[in-house]
Amino acid sequence: MTKEQEFVLEQVKQMMAAPSCYAGLRAKAQAWLDARGTATEKTAARELLSEIEASITPIDSLVAFAHSDHAKEIFGAEGVKKFAAHADELKASGAKYCDCGACAPGLAILDQKAALIG
């Protein structure tokens, strides 16, 4: 296994372990893990990459969510203040995407597409 492949494997595991990783993405990641070393690995990798691409939260969407009533319901009055401040700071820093435990490794995986599909 190359260093890039090892890196992708670790990022997939981190992404899956994140509380912010939703069930559909976790299922695609598990399917890829299960397919490693088989004839269906490349297909599973393409499906995983497609799911990650569809799942990464753009910064403007993150900021809008962080300031929403729905976020307040999830995080509570105090928690949503911290979350919104973090989202605002992230955008101000020039970030283009969310940095949560699922999005950050997802972006790292996308940067290593070649390690997944050759």
Side-chain angles (χ1 to χ4, degrees):
M1 185 180 318
T2 68
K3 288 188 340 186
E4 291 84 4
Q5 291 167 330
E6 288 177 21
F7 175 77
V8 167
L9 178 60
E10 187 57 37
Q11 294 301 304
V12 168
K13 290 177 180 179
Q14 286 180 24
M15 180 182 69
M16 291 175 69
S20 54
C21 185
Y22 73 97
L25 179 56
R26 193 172 286 117
K28 293 290 184 183
Q30 187 62 55
W32 174 75
L33 289 172
D34 294 344
R36 290 180 63 234
T38 72
T40 61
E41 180 176 2
K42 298 263 187 222
T43 299
R46 284 185 194 92
E47 290 176 4
L48 173 59
L49 291 168
S50 178
E51 194 71 23
I52 292 170
E53 288 171 346
S55 303
I56 301 291
T57 303
I59 192 65
D60 289 334
S61 295
L62 177 68
V63 170
F65 171 65
H67 290 277
S68 72
D69 289 337
H70 188 115
K72 191 174 188 178
E73 291 171 15
I74 294 170
F75 297 106
E78 288 306 309
V80 79
K81 288 178 187 176
K82 291 179 184 176
F83 178 50
H86 174 73
D88 292 340
E89 288 171 13
L90 197 59
K91 182 173 180 168
S93 76
K96 295 184 193 292
Y97 299 99
C98 175
D99 67 344
C100 76
C103 288
L107 288 167
I109 293 164
L110 292 177
D111 284 344
Q112 295 292 325
K113 278 184 186 182
L116 279 170
I117 56 176

